[in-house]
Amino acid sequence: GAAISTVVAQTTPAVLIIFFLLSPDRPVRLVFRSKVDFRCMGRFLALGFPQMGQQSSQAIPIVVGNTLIKYYADEADVDRYIVVFSGVLQRYLALLILPIIGLSAGYLPVSSYNLGAKKYHRFLESIGWGLFFALLMAGVGWLGTYLVPDMIVSILGGNDEELQDLGVYVLRHWCYMFFCVSFPYIVATTFQAQHSPILAAGCSFARQALFLVPLMVIIPFFTRDVKSLFIAGAVSDASSAVVSSILLYLFIIIPLVPKLEQEREAERQRCLEEGIEGQSVLYKMNPWARDNGMGASNLTLGLSTFLSLFYIRRKTKKRGEGEGEEGSVGSSSEGDSDMGADAFQVLASPGVAMETQIDTTDTMDIIDTMDIIETECVAEREREREPSLSESASHRADA
């Protein structure tokens, strides 16, 4: 049954893929040619080698672990340790790592296409989202080892009480830092998208070859306890995550900083040439930030308009009070104050905004329109003051 299911599972997708590539209505078709491009095949092998090595190296820790268990464990406990390590633990790890591998396969074209199109901000966004979802998947598996470890051991290993206790111990200690597994997979895939097979291979082999297998050999050698073997998984996960993060920062983030600046400058020049003013390049790149940023700019424009009107009112009121102190009639001072208040009320009414056609999209137009309105208000006040001044002069002459 297992043999038949394996053959069917491998044959069915192969037939579907070949049928898809041979269809005449596809933009990319499979064509048979006698000439082989070995250079192109070499690039395929170079870029695919890290993923091949990552998959094939999964068996190395199993072989090393079984050998060390036979050497350090008691003869009566060897079978239980091998069942837990090779059966329960490895099945659970395969169940958790397969979704991350599938995520990496979907993440690869998204990141590589954005990098090839020189959309560097989208390339960085794809890295962030890839790490987030990979970390989320690994975090679910990590929580499972602490929330329902008994159920995991009973499903994958059996209901033996001694096996249950040992399985829970092994799962919790090996998967203590399992959420860090997301970093090597995503970073290695990012280097594949960047066409850096050596760095991708380094991230792929760092966990198994550089940390996991040596720690599996070194730790039990000093402790002489077979249970200390299972601490190597947590230490290797954390160490490989640190190495992957450093490589990501040194070889991807730092080289992209000047390219991001060039991209933003090119976007700003394009906006200026097309007459798009008042919008930041970040708003052009991010629709959410653009919409919220325009809302904030409109709010700022409304507040500045209100403060400008308030300033006009205070300015006209102070002019009226100053002229009243110089010897004008008290009624004229009150008239000036009333005139300033009336001017503020008229300016603040929506009808005036419609009549004067204030364009809220341009702050300079608002300032020019307010200057014109202020000049008209001062002229109107002067015209109303002329009769009061002539009457006061006639009263002085009569006196």
Side-chain angles (χ1 to χ4, degrees):
I4 295 174
S5 63
T6 303
V7 173
V8 172
Q10 296 293 334
T11 305
T12 303
V15 172
L16 292 176
I17 290 172
I18 293 174
F19 176 77
F20 179 83
L21 293 176
L22 292 177
S23 300
D25 57 343
R26 302 299 176 188
V28 179
R29 296 173 55 191
L30 184 62
V31 179
F32 295 96
R33 293 179 180 176
S34 59
K35 185 178 180 181
V36 180
D37 191 350
F38 290 100
R39 184 177 180 182
C40 185
M41 290 180 63
R43 293 179 61 189
F44 290 160
L45 291 175
L47 291 175
F49 177 74
Q51 211 162 23
M52 275 195 309
Q54 197 172 42
Q55 295 296 320
S56 60
S57 62
Q58 298 290 338
I60 299 176
I62 300 176
V63 176
V64 175
N66 290 335
T67 304
L68 294 174
I69 287 172
K70 293 177 182 179
Y71 184 78
Y72 290 105
D74 297 333
E75 293 182 1
D77 299 331
V78 169
D79 293 337
R80 289 193 298 111
Y81 276 100
I82 289 179
V83 169
V84 171
F85 179 73
S86 301
V88 177
L89 179 62
Q90 298 303 324
R91 290 172 187 172
Y92 186 65
L93 293 178
L95 183 66
L96 298 181
I97 290 176
L98 283 176
I100 300 177
I101 294 175
L103 175 67
S104 302
Y107 160 77
L108 177 60
V110 175
S111 58
S112 60
Y113 290 166
N114 284 320
L115 183 62
K118 296 183 180 181
K119 301 292 184 181
Y120 302 112
H121 64 284
R122 291 184 179 179
F123 177 62
L124 290 179
E125 287 179 2
S126 64
I127 295 174
W129 284 112
L131 289 173
F132 171 75
F133 284 110
L135 184 63
L136 186 64
M137 292 178 181
V140 171
W142 174 75
L143 287 175
T145 60
Y146 287 91
L147 298 179
V148 287
D150 297 330
M151 185 178 68
I152 295 172
V153 176
S154 62
I155 293 174
L156 300 177
N159 295 321
D160 187 6
E161 292 184 0
E162 295 181 356
L163 193 65
Q164 284 275 341
D165 297 337
L166 181 60
V168 171
Y169 177 86
V170 171
L171 280 178
R172 287 183 173 177
H173 283 76
W174 189 278
C175 300
Y176 187 74
M177 300 291 290
F178 184 77
F179 55 87
C180 297
V181 173
S182 57
F183 285 87
Y185 281 92
I186 298 299
V187 174
T189 307
T190 305
F191 284 125
Q192 284 183 280
Q194 200 186 20
H195 200 281
S196 301
I198 297 177
L199 293 174
C203 291
S204 300
F205 288 103
R207 182 173 177 268
Q208 280 84 7
L210 189 61
F211 296 110
L212 183 56
V213 174
L215 288 173
M216 290 175 68
V217 176
I218 294 172
I219 295 176
F221 177 77
F222 289 100
T223 60
R224 294 294 173 178
D225 185 8
V226 68
K227 287 188 176 181
S228 63
L229 172 67
F230 307 109
I231 304 175
V235 179
S236 64
D237 291 340
S239 303
S240 60
V242 172
V243 172
S244 301
S245 302
I246 293 174
L247 293 177
L248 178 67
Y249 181 76
L250 292 178
F251 295 98
I252 292 181
I253 303 299
I254 292 180
L256 279 182
V257 171
K259 295 181 180 180
L260 281 171
E261 296 297 332
Q262 294 176 2
E263 183 185 12
R264 292 177 180 177
E265 183 64 23
E267 184 72 14
R268 190 183 70 84
Q269 293 294 335
R270 189 184 66 83
C271 292
L272 293 176
E273 292 175 358
E274 295 179 359
I276 305 174
E277 298 180 357
Q279 294 184 4
S280 174
V281 177
L282 294 177
Y283 297 159
K284 296 292 293 179
M285 294 181 179
N286 193 337
W288 182 87
R290 177 191 62 203
D291 297 338
N292 289 275
M294 292 304 295
S297 64
N298 291 334
L299 178 62
T300 305
L301 183 60
L303 290 175
S304 63
T305 304
F306 176 78
L307 292 176
S308 300
L309 294 173
F310 184 74
Y311 172 76
I312 292 174
R313 179 188 179 186
R314 288 191 60 186
K315 190 174 182 181
T316 54
K317 187 175 181 179
K318 286 183 178 180
R319 284 183 180 178
E321 291 177 355
E323 292 173 356
E325 291 176 357
E326 290 177 358
S328 61
V329 184
S331 60
S332 64
S333 176
E334 295 177 357
D336 294 341
S337 177
D338 296 338
M339 185 59 194
D342 294 337
F344 175 76
Q345 293 177 358
V346 171
L347 288 174
S349 63
V352 174
M354 294 297 294
E355 293 175 1
T356 55
Q357 297 179 355
I358 297 178
D359 187 7
T360 59
T361 61
D362 196 343
T363 309
M364 297 303 298
D365 293 342
I366 294 176
I367 296 174
D368 295 337
T369 306
M370 289 180 177
D371 292 337
I372 295 173
I373 295 174
E374 182 182 2
T375 303
E376 293 177 355
C377 291
V378 172
E380 182 67 21
R381 188 176 67 249
E382 293 294 335
R383 286 194 297 269
E384 291 181 1
R385 284 185 56 199
E386 288 179 358
S388 61
L389 290 175
S390 60
E391 291 177 1
S392 60
S394 61
H395 285 307
R396 291 194 197 94
D398 294 340

